[in-house]
Amino acid sequence: MGCKSVMKTGFLCRQWGVLVVLLSLWLPQSFSQQTTSPPPQQKNKLKFRLAGYPRKHNEGRIEVFYNEEWGTICDDDFSTENAHVLCRHLGFISATGWTHSAKYGKGTGKIWLDNVQCRGSEKSITDCKSQGWGNSDCTHDEDAGVVCKDERLPGFVESNVIEQVEENRVEEMRLRPVVSSAKKRMPITEGIVEVKYKDSWAQICDDGWTPKNSHVICGMFGFPQERKANKNFYKLFAERQQNIYRLHSVACTGNEVHLAVCPLQFYEANATRACEGGMPAVVSCVPGPQFSLGNGQKKKTKSTFRVRLKGGAKIGEGRVEVLKDNEWGTVCDDRWNLLSASVVCRELGFGSAKEALTGARMGQGMGPVHMNEVQCSGQEKSIWNCPYKNVTSEDCQHVEDASVKCNTPYMGYKNSIRLSGGRSRNEGRMEVMTGVDGNGIEQWGLICGEGWGTKEAMVVCRQLGLGFANQGLQETWYWDGSNVTEMVMSGVKCTGNEMSLSYCQHHGSNINCKKTGTRFAAGVICSETASDLILNAPLVQQTVYIEDRPLHMLYCAAEENCLSSSAAKANWPYGHRRLLRFSSQIHNIGRADFRPKAGRHSWLWHECHGHYHSMDIFTHYDILTLNGSKVAEGHKASFCLEDVECQEGIAKRYECANFGEQGITVGCWDLYRHDIDCQWIDITDIKPGNYIFQVVINPNFEVAESDFTNNAMKCNCKYDGHRIWFHNCHIGDAFSEEAEKRFEQYPGQNNKIS
């Protein structure tokens, strides 16, 4: 159905073995000076920070604190390798780029380093070649900047400035099960706690070990709670092993997010008679509901949580939303930290928090902001038990929505699928591991592309840790590069929420694929970010009205199928159609622009309205009875996706005029006014009664989004044959389950006016 008028205005191993989980706190090694300058004095601990404007949290002018003074680094000889080292100093895993010529503004004070030349693998910037500390012929017009990959080093605590710690540190850790059957079950919930030491693994002495220590360890491995372990069993095992003790006297309070933050002591390298009378520390953890079943999300458990995560690409991450007065809302990021984030993570059945994110890093929410200045101690069972302030509209906006990344258990899902043939690690043809042959060689097969789409791609991208789905492809002839040719899976159908492709429906061993050539194998393209469209529900309620429109004014609308089927039998051009009109304001609250799937070369020109359609169906408009039967429907093709208005500070990028690029920018919205063609439902044949009015954006999942649960909007609708009333208009997942049930029963029964 149509259109805005051109006149639109305004507005988941094969080798199970020992499970190794890399959990690190960024505590870099002591300096090994290789520059011409003297090494920093013991009192001169190096610190690093990002500065400048405008910038995001993971980019900026790089500044170094040396000799009790902050200064910059000159861009001469600067490289991506330099940026890698500096980003790791700042707690990010790597760099994606660097900038020159003071892109983020000119710094002040000293220019500490010049002609820096790193290989990229150094532990410290002091291990790189340079002119020496304070030796530079640069001005601040040449200040260097870095752009870091938006992924923190595991266990990273401080948000920006990091102090160097020069001696002992705790980086990699693992839970080592000792029973062979436990090694094959995922997740591994119990075992001896070991820390990486040089090129081997060392144990922790359990002398004085408390449940609080176990609580911290379990949190690191993605488990919300600890439980008592059978130490006698492990003691018998440990007595037969040669143990290397590295740590002792661990004294966690239970609130820490990483063992390295706890008070602890290291044994000297030449220590003898270590851990006399003790044994290696053993921890047993309780997995959360999603992982205790051992089958991902195959079984649906009833949710009673008053907190949820939205907009995250991986399990255990997302924007924090809380339920208050039967309505979901967000949490403001003022004073948001790892203690509060960890309470949310554990409440939801995950471990402690890896990151407490601010500034709507997982996209902006809609609706109310329920909490501000949340101050958890870390002991609480729920975020609702933490002190917080109520929010006024002046206090917080959705640009300040808080989000989290939680530690989750290692499940080994990544090892059963892979992508091949793509131009990058984020794309390729889907291959599934079917087993191992007699020589120990892995056997792989293809997935039939028939019926493969965005929801299946969402599961694959999540399973591989590659973010969101960009596309699910049914033909991959251009990636046909491997020797894998056999179709081993067909009829795959996912809901999009599964943690592994193996939990989606499929044909099993009965492969049913009409096109069995390798060119018809399924493929995916993944992306770190995705768009997220959401409808402004209050505006629909405010703008709805009925119009009786003469047939002679509806020829173009009829050509685009914007009228009900009975219109074809009408006595054209005489008579009229009764139209339910309303405005649609569609916001992009995601982290990537919403773009039509088809390029402009394949857009369809519609002569009657004089415009291009970039998507055949952009929205569905339906009127439903209270039992869900459809009594009237409409649809809208997206002839024109553009930025009508944007939030302050965001520039419009898409415009329909002059065959321009179409899309909706992050932070902007498109508006289909109530008075443009096809922005209606033809209700000519509808009888008076109580109904549910529903709008669904992107109903065929044509374009990938980070969240499809908020694409539907519903209203209670009361029609007396002459007038119409809309009540309780809301986004599909905005209410509690109880409130949604009440909504579906409103306001009466059997479609009679009450």
Side-chain angles (χ1 to χ4, degrees):
M1 189 184 193
C3 343
K4 293 182 215 177
S5 124
V6 177
M7 301 298 294
K8 168 182 163 188
T9 60
F11 352 57
L12 201 299
C13 294
R14 172 177 61 87
Q15 299 174 344
W16 294 109
V18 174
L19 167 64
V20 178
V21 178
L22 301 181
L23 295 152
S24 311
L25 179 72
W26 182 242
L27 302 171
Q29 289 187 357
S30 58
F31 305 126
S32 175
Q33 187 76 3
Q34 294 182 358
T35 68
T36 59
S37 63
Q41 298 299 312
Q42 188 71 13
K43 66 178 182 179
N44 293 328
K45 302 286 183 68
L46 291 182
K47 301 178 185 179
F48 300 85
R49 71 184 180 190
L50 294 172
Y53 183 84
R55 68 182 184 89
K56 298 179 182 178
H57 67 285
N58 58 324
E59 61 178 282
R61 182 176 62 249
I62 184 70
E63 296 191 351
V64 188
F65 188 74
Y66 172 77
N67 201 22
E68 303 299 316
E69 185 178 350
W70 285 102
T72 62
I73 298 178
C74 182
D75 60 14
D76 292 351
D77 293 331
F78 208 85
S79 65
T80 302
E81 288 73 20
N82 295 355
H84 282 316
V85 176
L86 290 163
C87 284
R88 289 197 295 269
H89 274 305
L90 291 158
F92 297 95
I93 64 169
S94 63
T96 59
W98 62 277
T99 65
H100 57 84
S101 305
K103 176 185 175 180
Y104 300 102
K106 294 188 289 187
T108 59
K110 295 277 191 179
I111 298 176
W112 278 125
L113 293 171
D114 190 7
N115 299 110
V116 181
Q117 298 178 50
C118 304
R119 298 185 305 275
S121 59
E122 292 86 351
K123 294 290 185 181
S124 170
I125 197 69
T126 59
D127 297 334
C128 303
K129 295 178 182 179
S130 75
Q131 294 290 348
W133 290 97
N135 296 325
S136 173
D137 58 358
C138 298
T139 68
H140 283 295
D141 290 312
E142 302 168 87
D143 285 343
V146 294
V147 181
C148 303
K149 182 177 174 63
D150 191 9
E151 185 174 341
R152 289 294 193 186
L153 289 164
F156 183 74
V157 177
E158 179 55 54
S159 62
N160 199 340
V161 179
I162 281 248
E163 293 194 18
Q164 300 295 324
V165 176
E166 297 168 350
E167 295 180 355
N168 294 314
R169 66 197 186 282
V170 177
E171 292 186 343
E172 298 179 27
M173 296 184 64
R174 71 179 183 182
L175 269 183
R176 180 163 67 97
V178 299
V179 181
S180 57
S181 60
K183 297 176 183 178
K184 297 180 180 180
R185 279 199 308 266
M186 291 292 134
I188 291 176
T189 59
E190 182 178 299
I192 296 172
V193 184
E194 297 187 329
V195 298
K196 192 69 177 288
Y197 178 51
K198 296 183 178 179
D199 293 326
S200 61
W201 294 90
Q203 292 75 46
I204 303 174
C205 182
D206 76 341
D207 186 27
W209 190 266
T210 68
K212 292 180 178 179
N213 297 344
S214 298
H215 191 71
V216 173
I217 297 294
C218 288
M220 293 170 58
F221 286 94
F223 304 113
Q225 297 295 330
E226 76 288 353
R227 60 188 166 198
K228 191 173 181 178
N230 184 353
K231 291 179 61 176
N232 292 331
F233 170 79
Y234 286 92
K235 190 171 185 179
L236 291 171
F237 175 83
E239 288 172 351
R240 300 197 299 266
Q241 305 294 312
Q242 182 177 357
N243 299 304
I244 305 171
Y245 290 100
R246 179 69 175 144
L247 300 173
H248 67 99
S249 303
V250 179
C252 302
T253 65
N255 299 332
E256 298 88 352
V257 297
H258 197 285
L259 184 69
V261 188
C262 301
L264 49 82
Q265 295 183 36
F266 288 82
Y267 284 107
E268 297 294 333
N270 58 354
T272 58
R273 305 173 66 183
C275 198
E276 284 189 307
M279 61 174 281
V282 175
V283 165
S284 181
C285 306
V286 180
Q290 294 186 66
F291 306 97
S292 58
L293 296 172
N295 61 351
Q297 298 198 334
K298 201 171 184 179
K299 294 183 181 178
K300 196 77 172 176
T301 56
K302 184 175 176 63
S303 173
T304 57
F305 294 123
R306 292 179 63 200
V307 61
R308 68 185 183 185
L309 301 181
K310 301 285 284 186
K314 302 175 183 176
I315 297 295
E317 67 176 41
R319 179 178 61 254
V320 180
E321 296 190 355
V322 291
L323 184 63
K324 183 179 181 181
D325 298 330
N326 288 315
E327 186 174 8
W328 289 98
T330 61
V331 176
C332 190
D333 63 10
D334 292 349
R335 307 186 75 166
W336 185 248
N337 60 23
L338 283 168
L339 287 174
S340 299
S342 289
V343 170
V344 169
C345 290
R346 291 184 188 269
E347 182 178 359
L348 289 170
F350 306 114
S352 52
K354 291 190 290 188
E355 293 185 55
L357 306 172
T358 59
R361 293 260 305 281
M362 295 291 181
Q364 297 183 29
M366 292 283 279
V369 181
H370 284 323
M371 289 180 164
N372 188 22
E373 296 192 25
V374 180
Q375 298 180 65
C376 302
S377 68
Q379 303 285 355
E380 296 86 354
K381 296 296 184 184
S382 170
I383 188 175
W384 287 103
N385 302 136
C386 303
Y388 69 91
K389 290 184 179 180
N390 291 313
V391 182
T392 65
S393 58
E394 292 78 25
D395 291 333
C396 283
Q397 303 296 326
H398 283 297
V399 292
E400 302 171 84
D401 285 344
S403 50
V404 299
K405 288 185 179 181
C406 307
N407 287 313
T408 57
Y410 174 79
M411 300 296 291
Y413 290 139
K414 283 186 181 181
N415 305 307
S416 63
I417 64 173
R418 69 184 183 188
L419 302 181
S420 70
R423 298 161 296 181
S424 71
R425 62 186 292 267
N426 294 320
E427 66 179 28
R429 190 176 64 175
M430 274 299 308
E431 296 183 3
V432 183
M433 190 170 74
T434 58
V436 181
D437 68 12
N439 297 319
I441 300 174
E442 294 174 348
Q443 302 297 298
W444 296 84
L446 305 175
I447 299 178
C448 178
E450 293 172 20
W452 185 266
T454 301
K455 289 189 173 183
E456 291 70 36
M458 289 170 67
V459 177
V460 170
C461 295
R462 180 185 300 120
Q463 184 174 348
L464 290 171
L466 296 176
F468 300 101
N470 184 291
Q471 287 186 59
L473 304 164
Q474 297 186 0
E475 290 190 30
T476 52
W477 52 269
Y478 37 84
W479 289 334
D480 192 6
S482 77
N483 57 0
V484 178
T485 59
E486 183 186 2
M487 292 284 181
V488 297
M489 186 179 286
S490 65
V492 179
K493 189 174 182 60
C494 305
T495 66
N497 299 319
E498 296 88 350
M499 288 192 289
S500 167
L501 198 65
S502 60
Y503 303 137
C504 299
Q505 296 179 358
H506 57 92
H507 290 153
S509 58
N510 300 316
I511 308 303
N512 183 3
C513 188
K514 296 176 182 177
K515 300 177 181 178
T516 57
T518 56
R519 64 172 294 172
F520 301 109
V524 300
I525 301 175
C526 304
S527 173
E528 290 186 1
T529 58
S531 61
D532 186 13
L533 298 187
I534 191 167
L535 187 68
N536 184 337
L539 184 66
V540 173
Q541 187 164 317
Q542 294 162 12
T543 58
V544 65
Y545 65 95
I546 288 175
E547 178 194 7
D548 289 331
R549 192 166 183 82
L551 283 172
H552 69 82
M553 301 175 68
L554 292 171
Y555 280 103
C556 284
E559 182 185 304
E560 295 194 9
N561 296 316
C562 295
L563 303 175
S564 62
S565 57
S566 65
K569 303 173 185 177
N571 185 25
W572 292 77
Y574 308 106
H576 67 270
R577 304 299 292 180
R578 176 158 289 187
L579 307 177
L580 176 65
R581 286 186 172 271
F582 54 93
S583 294
S584 292
Q585 189 182 87
I586 300 170
H587 294 244
N588 183 358
I589 65 171
R591 290 184 280 158
D593 295 353
F594 184 93
R595 301 293 309 278
K597 183 177 180 180
R600 67 168 83 195
H601 63 280
S602 58
W603 295 352
L604 296 176
W605 173 259
H606 281 247
E607 187 67 41
C608 192
H609 279 126
H611 57 242
Y612 285 93
H613 284 187
S614 59
M615 292 175 66
D616 289 338
I617 304 262
F618 180 53
T619 51
H620 276 169
Y621 305 145
D622 299 311
I623 292 183
L624 313 171
T625 63
L626 300 184
N627 64 10
S629 301
K630 192 181 297 184
V631 293
E633 63 181 318
H635 73 270
K636 189 155 200 65
S638 69
F639 84 86
C640 176
L641 285 171
E642 66 179 5
D643 298 326
V644 173
E645 295 290 340
C646 299
Q647 295 174 359
E648 186 177 349
I650 298 177
K652 300 178 183 179
R653 299 182 60 185
Y654 303 105
E655 188 176 15
C656 297
N658 302 316
F659 196 40
E661 289 289 348
Q662 294 190 25
I664 306 176
T665 303
V666 175
C668 300
W669 54 90
D670 195 3
L671 178 67
Y672 291 83
R673 286 174 51 93
H674 57 82
D675 54 359
I676 64 176
D677 249 10
C678 297
Q679 185 57 35
W680 64 55
I681 296 183
D682 183 350
I683 62 169
T684 306
D685 307 320
I686 301 300
K687 298 178 181 179
N690 299 312
Y691 299 94
I692 291 175
F693 171 74
Q694 177 176 273
V695 177
V696 183
I697 308 169
N698 192 16
N700 298 333
F701 315 109
E702 231 180 286
V703 178
E705 298 184 46
S706 59
D707 185 2
F708 286 112
T709 63
N710 58 13
N711 281 36
M713 193 254 3
K714 299 178 181 179
C715 302
N716 288 127
C717 170
K718 186 173 183 177
Y719 176 49
D720 68 358
H722 306 286
R723 296 165 298 172
I724 200 158
W725 295 267
F726 275 15
H727 303 281
N728 300 323
C729 291
H730 67 285
I731 301 304
D733 64 346
F735 286 179
S736 67
E737 291 183 12
E738 289 131 356
E740 192 66 31
K741 287 178 182 176
R742 288 197 299 271
F743 167 86
E744 291 171 355
Q745 294 168 359
Y746 170 91
Q749 296 179 349
N750 302 322
N751 246 17
K752 302 296 184 184
I753 295 291
S754 56

